[in-house]
Amino acid sequence: MVSHAQWKLARDRKVAQSISEGDDSAESAERVRRRRELDLAWDLGQAVYDRRTALGLAQTELARRANMTQPQVSKLELGGSMPTVPLLVRLARAMDADFSLRPDAEDVVRVSFIPHDPAHAEIGAEPPSTEPASAAEAEAEADAGTERAAATG
């Protein structure tokens, strides 16, 4: 069985060979575009794999939490599919994380699942409300805001 890292190396070699054989034509530009898509699919899969293993989850457990099948999780982690946004949202919820795609200046997209605050570790837990619990607290906050404005203005 090929490990995750070995598969990526073999894929990278194949894509690099394909790109190096091309010239500066439209076909070469298509190869570069395809390589970027493959890199993004791989990076998405790696981000899912990293977060899943950090949580100590098996692929079957992640699949259950995200309403997927284990083979779908496996294919995704190996970079064999490009997930939809709704699927990424389900995966993020299943792994108690926020999902982030950040393009950089070199047309490279950085992918990550950012764990939620440990205080909100329960999946599906709502963050604490920042609104005052009572009218008295709301009035006290309003008075404090007025005092700050008077002191600075």
Side-chain angles (χ1 to χ4, degrees), residues 82-98:
M82 182 62 70
T84 62
V85 172
L87 177 57
L88 291 170
V89 170
R90 286 195 338 248
L91 285 165
R93 284 185 184 144
M95 296 187 294
D96 192 31
D98 292 320

Side-chain angles (χ1 to χ4, degrees), residues 44-124:
L44 283 164
Q46 188 67 47
V48 170
Y49 173 83
D50 290 344
R51 179 65 182 148
R52 178 182 65 78
T53 56
L55 290 171
L57 295 176
Q59 285 183 345
T60 52
E61 177 59 18
L62 177 58
R64 184 192 65 75
R65 290 181 180 191
N67 196 26
M68 300 172 66
T69 64
Q70 182 275 326
Q72 288 172 321
V73 172
S74 178
K75 184 175 180 180
L76 177 69
E77 287 184 355
L78 291 172
S81 66
M82 182 62 70
T84 62
V85 172
L87 177 57
L88 291 170
V89 170
R90 286 195 338 248
L91 285 165
R93 284 185 184 144
M95 296 187 294
D96 192 31
D98 292 320
F99 176 73
S100 172
L101 281 173
R102 295 175 318 279
D104 68 12
E106 300 168 3
D107 275 346
V108 175
V109 178
R110 304 291 176 206
V111 179
S112 59
F113 284 94
I114 302 136
H116 289 155
D117 184 350
H120 314 301
E122 182 182 328
I123 294 178

